[in-house]
Amino acid sequence: MAAKPFFFFLSLLPLLVTASNPDSTPLLAFKATSDASNLLATWSSTSNPCNFAGASCTRNRVSRLVLEGLDLRGSFAALTGLTHLRVLSLKRNRLSGPIPDLSNLNSLKLLFLSYNDFSGEFPASLTSLFRLYRLDLAYNNLTGEIPETVNHLTHLLTLLLEANRFSGSISGINLPNLQEFNVSANRLYGEIPKSVSIFSESAFAENPGLCGAPVHSCKTVTNPTRPGSGGSIASAVMAAVVASSPTSLPSSSTSVN
């Protein structure tokens, strides 16, 4: 008779594990609002979120979430409840609207949001994520200026912002550890700062108002967004840069606790 209660307890274990893992709630909330094509059908309230497709855990908390090319839509605000995330990649979906406040994700090291339909300005909350190594916001519809507060991300190795609608100057950017950088196909103008002039001309292409090394001299360049300046905004093109991926972690010599 004692065996029956034991097997009953075993049958409850998946529910107990799920109930004890607070990451189930934000993940299932995200699925409910964004998975219009039901490609996350295996995500269930009776499953351990560490076993969800695309998720990986450290010490029973979701630390890595890679959901690329799944036709996900709307906002990913629910995922900001995953406070132990170190890697988040939502590339090549149909997510839209402003990028939500990410200040809760203070363990985040790799963030890939390219090839979506995000709008609004460069999210201020990003500049508080001091552990970030790689940031990819390319191929969206982000507007406004690239803020100088991006310099707070002192460990940043990758900054990819190409094919958006950013405008203004980048003269204040100073990120000495950058290994990948691209701001091509935006609406930027002014002199390229020495801190990023080491990158190839393709990293600055299709910003007619930018000048200085590695592009042309600043002598005759004007603000292309000013009426009557004669400048034009070209369409986005693919720029030649080294590809980043959620697996491209820095070497241990540059690790951040």
Side-chain angles (χ1 to χ4, degrees):
M1 295 294 292
K4 289 185 177 179
F6 176 73
F7 286 115
F8 177 70
F9 173 76
L10 287 180
S11 70
L12 291 178
L13 273 179
L15 293 175
L16 293 173
V17 171
T18 303
S20 66
N21 192 324
D23 294 333
S24 293
T25 299
L27 287 168
L28 293 174
F30 173 68
K31 171 179 165 46
T33 58
S34 299
D35 186 23
S37 300
N38 199 32
L39 296 178
L40 301 176
T42 59
W43 288 20
S44 166
S45 60
T46 60
S47 301
N48 186 333
C50 296
N51 297 326
F52 284 7
S56 302
C57 284
T58 302
R59 297 177 182 177
N60 202 41
R61 296 300 302 273
V62 175
S63 58
R64 187 174 189 269
L65 188 63
V66 178
L67 303 172
E68 299 179 355
L70 296 175
D71 196 35
L72 299 171
R73 306 180 187 187
S75 172
F76 70 98
L79 297 181
T80 62
L82 300 174
T83 56
H84 289 245
L85 268 186
R86 296 183 181 183
V87 177
L88 177 61
S89 183
L90 301 172
K91 290 181 180 181
R92 299 183 184 278
N93 283 294
R94 299 173 64 183
L95 297 167
S96 60
I99 294 173
D101 186 342
L102 303 178
S103 54
N104 284 340
L105 305 183
N106 53 24
S107 295
L108 204 59
K109 294 185 177 183
L110 309 180
L111 179 61
F112 303 96
L113 300 177
S114 56
Y115 293 93
N116 279 285
D117 195 27
F118 292 115
S119 58
E121 298 188 346
F122 189 101
S125 63
L126 278 179
T127 62
S128 68
L129 304 180
F130 68 94
R131 290 185 172 89
L132 269 184
Y133 284 120
R134 305 200 187 278
L135 175 59
D136 181 2
L137 303 180
Y139 292 87
N140 281 289
N141 289 304
L142 299 172
T143 56
E145 297 188 355
I146 301 169
E148 290 188 19
T149 50
V150 73
N151 295 333
H152 295 169
L153 303 176
T154 56
H155 298 284
L156 207 60
L157 303 177
T158 296
L159 181 60
L160 302 179
L161 303 175
E162 69 266 28
N164 279 285
R165 293 187 290 156
F166 287 119
S167 58
S169 170
I170 58 170
S171 62
I173 292 180
N174 183 18
L175 292 163
N177 294 316
L178 278 183
Q179 297 174 1
E180 296 178 72
F181 178 74
N182 198 321
V183 291
S184 62
N186 279 287
R187 303 177 179 186
L188 303 169
Y189 57 85
E191 187 170 3
I192 295 170
K194 290 183 179 180
S195 60
V196 293
S197 64
I198 60 171
F199 295 99
S200 68
E201 185 174 348
S202 65
F204 306 94
E206 301 204 40
N207 290 285
L210 284 179
C211 63
V215 299
H216 48 73
S217 165
C218 287
K219 292 180 181 179
T220 60
V221 172
T222 59
N223 176 356
T225 64
R226 184 184 306 149
S229 67
S232 62
I233 306 303
S235 61
V237 295
M238 291 290 291
V241 296
V242 179
S244 289
S245 73
T247 58
S248 53
L249 286 164
S251 64
S252 58
S253 61
T254 57
S255 63
V256 178
N257 294 325

